[in-house]
Amino acid sequence: MSRGWSQINNHKATQHGKVRTVINIDSIKFDEKGLVPAIAQEEATGEVLMLAYMNKESLEKTLATGKAYYFSRSRQELWLKGESSGNLQEVHSIKYDCDCDTLLLKIHQTGVACHTGQRSCFYREIKNFKDNVATKPASAEVITSLYQVILERKGQTEDDRSYVASLFAKGTEKIAEKIAEESAELIEAAIEKDNKEIVYELCDLWFHTLVMLGHKDIDLGDVFTELARRFGRSGIEEKESRTKK
């Protein structure tokens, strides 16, 4: 990729099913200190993970490597996100806003984004924003939030009165048994019960499959990446590709 240029998603010509266009870094309006705010968003779920700053050099380095580089205002130096923690950000696309003064990085986050150990830096909420009650996530974001809680239970014991911890302690066979049980209940609900029961049983099934992922130390991002790979691909084509392996 040529120095100073980026490919970002837009509504223009496509290649391999992905919409692309080319922009010049010189279009970006860096502030008087040579910086521009950059928002990192999980591509698969839309979850906003963090906000940092980039200068021209860190943006160019991000484009060249596919890894997110930022500029530290406190240390006055470039830094690779996750260099010491291993929580790297793989950049899939970069967009900029209508005023050309803010960047949006669509990324795949390995591990957590926040230095506190939280998945997202935006883990706190103003509780009196609406009716003095903090709302719970009601989108795909709830999957990653739930998975983070499940992983936190992994270090606990059955004595901590945690259902998830008890499943981890009993191992793969018990977790698989619960998945089979919940699958059967979902099928029964689909055949004999109403939609509300179907939703209820599906949530039980998803929950236990997430426990299995946690037990096997599988990064949830790997699941999102695989789903993204299959997106827009014929189910017949996908099955045929497995047969050929």
Side-chain angles (χ1 to χ4, degrees):
M1 186 178 293
S2 300
R3 180 179 175 86
W5 292 83
S6 167
Q7 289 193 334
I8 63 170
N9 290 327
N10 203 321
H11 297 291
K12 300 253 178 128
T14 66
Q15 182 178 12
H16 304 302
K18 295 182 178 179
V19 186
R20 299 288 185 183
T21 190
V22 177
I23 65 167
N24 194 329
I25 287 182
D26 292 333
S27 301
I28 305 301
K29 296 178 182 177
F30 296 93
D31 66 17
E32 66 280 359
K33 296 180 180 179
L35 302 176
V36 62
I39 301 165
Q41 181 181 36
E42 179 64 56
E43 182 183 47
T45 64
E47 181 184 14
V48 177
L49 297 177
M50 58 177 281
L51 182 146
Y53 288 84
M54 286 182 158
N55 61 6
K56 189 173 183 180
E57 184 182 0
S58 65
L59 178 53
E60 289 176 337
K61 201 166 181 65
T62 298
L63 298 173
T65 65
K67 305 295 182 185
Y69 280 81
Y70 299 102
F71 184 82
S72 171
R73 294 175 297 169
S74 59
R75 301 192 305 271
Q76 288 294 297
E77 63 182 15
L78 261 62
W79 59 286
L80 170 63
K81 173 62 180 175
E83 184 172 19
S84 58
S85 66
N87 296 328
L88 296 167
Q89 291 178 350
E90 177 186 343
V91 181
H92 291 200
S93 69
I94 303 176
K95 296 184 178 182
Y96 64 109
D97 73 337
C98 54
D99 294 322
C100 304
D101 60 3
T102 304
L103 300 177
L104 176 63
L105 279 63
K106 295 294 188 75
I107 59 116
H108 165 51
Q109 175 70 54
T110 298
V112 300
C114 185
H115 72 282
T116 64
Q118 297 288 334
R119 167 73 179 175
S120 169
C121 292
F122 300 95
Y123 62 91
R124 293 172 292 189
E125 186 167 358
I126 299 176
K127 293 185 180 297
N128 62 352
F129 176 69
K130 184 179 181 181
D131 298 329
N132 295 316
V133 177
T135 57
K136 296 180 179 179
S139 65
E141 180 184 337
V142 73
I143 299 293
T144 52
S145 298
L146 175 59
Y147 192 56
Q148 187 62 35
V149 173
I150 288 172
L151 293 178
E152 290 170 1
R153 298 290 189 271
K154 197 166 186 179
Q156 297 180 349
T157 66
E158 292 184 82
D159 294 335
D160 294 317
R161 296 183 59 79
S162 165
Y163 173 66
V164 174
S166 70
L167 286 176
F168 282 144
K170 292 171 183 174
T172 302
E173 188 172 334
K174 182 61 178 179
I175 300 172
E177 181 183 311
K178 288 298 298 181
I179 291 174
E181 178 184 321
E182 299 301 343
S183 297
E185 290 181 2
L186 174 59
I187 293 170
E188 180 185 353
I191 295 173
E192 300 178 1
K193 300 180 180 179
D194 59 22
N195 288 354
K196 183 177 180 181
E197 285 297 317
I198 294 173
V199 171
Y200 185 88
E201 297 299 345
L202 180 64
C203 288
D204 280 350
L205 177 59
W206 281 9
F207 173 80
H208 287 90
T209 55
L210 287 174
V211 173
M212 179 64 83
L213 290 180
H215 178 62
K216 293 294 185 179
D217 294 319
I218 296 174
D219 190 326
L220 190 57
D222 292 340
V223 177
F224 293 143
T225 299
E226 175 61 16
L227 285 172
R229 183 189 69 80
R230 299 185 188 188
F231 188 82
R233 188 177 187 183
S234 164
I236 296 174
E237 179 185 344
E238 175 65 26
K239 287 185 178 180
E240 288 178 346
S241 69
R242 297 184 195 178
T243 304
K244 294 175 182 178
K245 291 181 180 178

